[in-house]
Amino acid sequence: MHLPEIDLPKVANVAGSAMALIIATAIFLSWVSARYVPVFERLRSLTGELRGTKDQTRRRDGVREQINDYRRRLRLMNRATGLLCWVLVLAVLTLIIASTTVAFPPKEELTGGQGAAVKALAAAGAATMLAAFVLDVIAVGLMMWENRIDRQSIESEVGDIDEVDGGH
């Protein structure tokens, strides 16, 4: 069996964008995870406060509103986290597909079957990379939506205090 000569610079070039996506996604996933823990803790604190405020209706309404906001934020972060995990899977798959193409001889030396296989691998690699980018953009959109809800929660936190001017 004849092993193909591997052109390491070619492998690095082919794998570079997939590796960059993996690194960037891992950083983004870490950021989302770092946001998740304090939001969850705040939700637990608010639910405890709601259980303890039976007669303070003005504060109770504000706490109830915040609980709903925090639940929506956590759902968005959960969805973004799931999408980012799929982005990582797709990026690794793209890396594997791209790396296998260097096992083939140079374009000029390909047989008909090898040429078809290289084209199929190229199409599969492009599809997995495109899917990873699309999921990444959706995850960013979810986090932008979560951030918008976060701004609403800030206003809701001080809504029952007359001495606060509302940030105007």
Side-chain angles (χ1 to χ4, degrees):
M1 177 176 188
H2 177 268
L3 290 176
E5 196 173 304
I6 295 183
D7 183 0
L8 197 54
K10 184 178 175 186
V11 173
N13 187 33
V14 167
S17 60
M19 284 304 297
L21 181 61
I22 290 168
I23 293 167
T25 302
I27 292 168
F28 186 23
L29 186 57
S30 173
W31 177 76
V32 172
S33 298
R35 287 179 61 94
Y36 187 90
V37 172
V39 170
F40 183 75
E41 288 301 319
R42 180 68 178 141
L43 175 68
R44 290 184 70 188
S45 170
L46 286 168
T47 56
E49 183 178 341
L50 184 64
R51 289 181 185 106
T53 55
K54 301 279 187 227
D55 55 349
Q56 300 172 0
T57 57
R58 190 170 175 198
R59 175 64 184 157
R60 191 171 170 82
D61 290 343
V63 169
R64 193 176 303 114
E65 185 178 320
Q66 286 181 64
I67 287 171
N68 288 329
D69 286 346
Y70 278 94
R71 286 179 62 202
R72 289 188 323 190
R73 288 179 63 199
L74 288 168
R75 284 187 194 121
L76 290 169
M77 284 188 244
N78 278 329
R79 288 182 183 125
T81 299
L83 288 176
L84 292 172
C85 289
W86 278 110
V87 169
L88 288 172
V89 168
L90 290 168
V92 168
L93 187 56
T94 301
L95 181 62
I96 292 168
I97 291 169
S99 297
T100 58
T101 62
V102 299
F104 289 91
K107 193 182 242 183
E108 307 80 40
E109 299 174 20
L110 290 175
T111 65
Q114 289 173 330
V118 168
K119 285 181 183 178
L121 285 170
T128 55
M129 184 62 94
L130 178 63
F133 282 133
V134 168
L135 293 180
D136 217 7
V137 168
I138 294 170
V140 169
L142 290 173
M143 291 310 296
M144 290 171 67
W145 188 3
E146 182 271 334
N147 192 48
R148 186 171 171 260
I149 296 170
D150 187 26
R151 288 192 304 269
Q152 294 169 354
S153 296
I154 292 167
E155 294 303 316
S156 180
E157 177 66 28
V158 295
D160 64 322
I161 302 172
D162 295 330
E163 293 84 17
V164 177
D165 67 1
H168 301 290

